[in-house]
Each structure stands twice: as C-alpha cells, then as structure tokens.
Amino acid sequence: MSVRILALVGSLRAGSHNRQLAEAAVKHAPEGAEIVLFEGLADIPFYNEDIDVEGSVPTAATKLREAAGAADAFLFFSPEYNGTIPAVLKNAIDWLSRPYGNSGFAGKPVAVVGTAFGQYGGVWAQDEARKAVGIAGGKVLEDVKLSIPGSVTRFAETHPADDAEVVAQLTEVIARIHGNVGQVA
C-alpha cells in the first residue's frame, strides 16, 4: 500500500537544518511511502476565526487543508524556538484543527522529529508539537521520535541526506508511520 505523508517544517529559514532533514526524508523514503514537503506555511495568516468562514478562507490556508486531506499521515520537523514550538508550525496545527469537529488530522498518524543546536535536539518543542496535534485530533505516535542535537556543528559540512546514521533513523521513522496508517487507535 502506498502511503502519502505530508511533511511540515517549522523553520522558514532557507538554510534550515530541519528543512534539510525533511529533504532527506523525501530523498530516502522507503518503498511504499511518499513524503510530500508542504511549501507555503509562511503565506498562511495567523489563525483567526473571523477569516475562517466559507468564502473567506485565505488561499494559503485552503491549500494546506487540501494537502492535509490528501495525506494519509503527517511528519513534522520542528526546531526549538525559546524552548517551545515555532509559531509557524503551531499556526498550521490551528488551521488544520478547524472547523471544529472536522480536523485535518482526525485518525491520521502523526510523528514529530527534528534537530536543534542545543544538546537535546529540540525535544521540548517536539513534545509541545505532539501535545498540540494530539489535542487537534491527530493519532500521535508517541514512541516514534528522533531528536538530533548539535545541528549547527553536525550539519555544518554534511547535509542530513548524506549522514548515514540520520538516514537510517529517518527511514525507520517513516516505516513506523507507514505501519500505523489504517490502524485503529
């Protein structure tokens, strides 16, 4: 069974190590899994119920919802900003959690991974992302984790797609997501 996994990256920076990690996932996705890297999180306005009404939903938010609707699962790549989840990733979760009772995450597996400069690889942010997406209706894979510390030095001269250890870990994460698609919670 082919599984479509929507990747959301919590960093907008062009040289983001989390974006590079997502690119590595796209490049090394195992057979039967397709990683679709969503482009456009920067274009989505902050969630506001006043603009989330039929006929007024911003185009960028509609594109996110359509991509989520076509996905079988989600893979978040989260850096850590001041000890927590980046606003752009939280905003995506907010848009996909609505309209109330019709979450884009409903019943779909979600894993959160990432890298950060600190010694723990962004675990606080990743835990916050798991919490938020779980409340938003996602089937959070609590035991599927990958936090890579020291991103600035580890990936200074090596793209994550060329780091054998990272590729093996990412491949395992994707395989675990794939194995949870269609499973009853």
Side-chain angles (χ1 to χ4, degrees):
M1 170 173 102
S2 182
V3 172
R4 184 181 190 103
I5 301 170
L6 186 63
L8 301 177
V9 179
S11 175
L12 302 178
R13 185 173 62 85
S16 162
H17 294 120
N18 279 283
R19 178 164 181 91
Q20 291 176 1
L21 196 60
E23 292 166 353
V26 170
K27 181 177 180 179
H28 294 289
E31 184 75 29
E34 175 191 12
I35 307 294
V36 177
L37 183 53
F38 184 80
E39 304 287 355
L41 288 184
D43 301 326
I44 302 171
F46 283 114
Y47 185 79
N48 176 344
E49 232 173 337
D50 292 341
I51 62 173
D52 189 11
V53 292
E54 194 170 329
S56 297
V57 177
T59 302
T62 299
K63 287 180 182 177
L64 174 64
R65 285 177 172 167
E66 289 171 351
D72 299 304
F74 297 86
L75 180 54
F76 288 8
F77 294 85
S78 184
E80 190 167 279
Y81 292 172
N82 297 310
T84 193
I85 185 173
V88 69
L89 199 52
K90 176 62 168 71
N91 191 47
I93 293 169
D94 291 344
W95 275 102
L96 291 175
S97 73
R98 302 288 188 201
Y100 182 78
N102 194 23
S103 170
F105 299 115
K108 296 179 181 180
V110 182
V112 182
V113 300
T115 186
F117 178 64
Q119 66 180 339
Y120 301 111
V123 294
W124 289 348
Q126 294 163 31
D127 287 346
E128 289 293 321
R130 286 182 195 94
K131 175 184 168 188
V133 78
I135 291 169
K139 180 182 161 189
V140 178
L141 304 177
E142 292 287 350
D143 61 338
V144 178
K145 297 180 180 181
L146 175 58
S147 301
I148 304 167
S151 61
V152 173
T153 52
R154 179 155 190 173
F155 302 124
E157 297 180 21
T158 303
H159 191 286
D162 300 323
D163 183 316
E165 179 184 18
V166 169
V167 168
Q169 292 169 329
L170 268 177
T171 302
E172 175 63 23
V173 165
I174 296 165
R176 301 267 313 275
I177 295 168
H178 185 283
N180 276 279
V181 171
Q183 300 294 317
V184 178

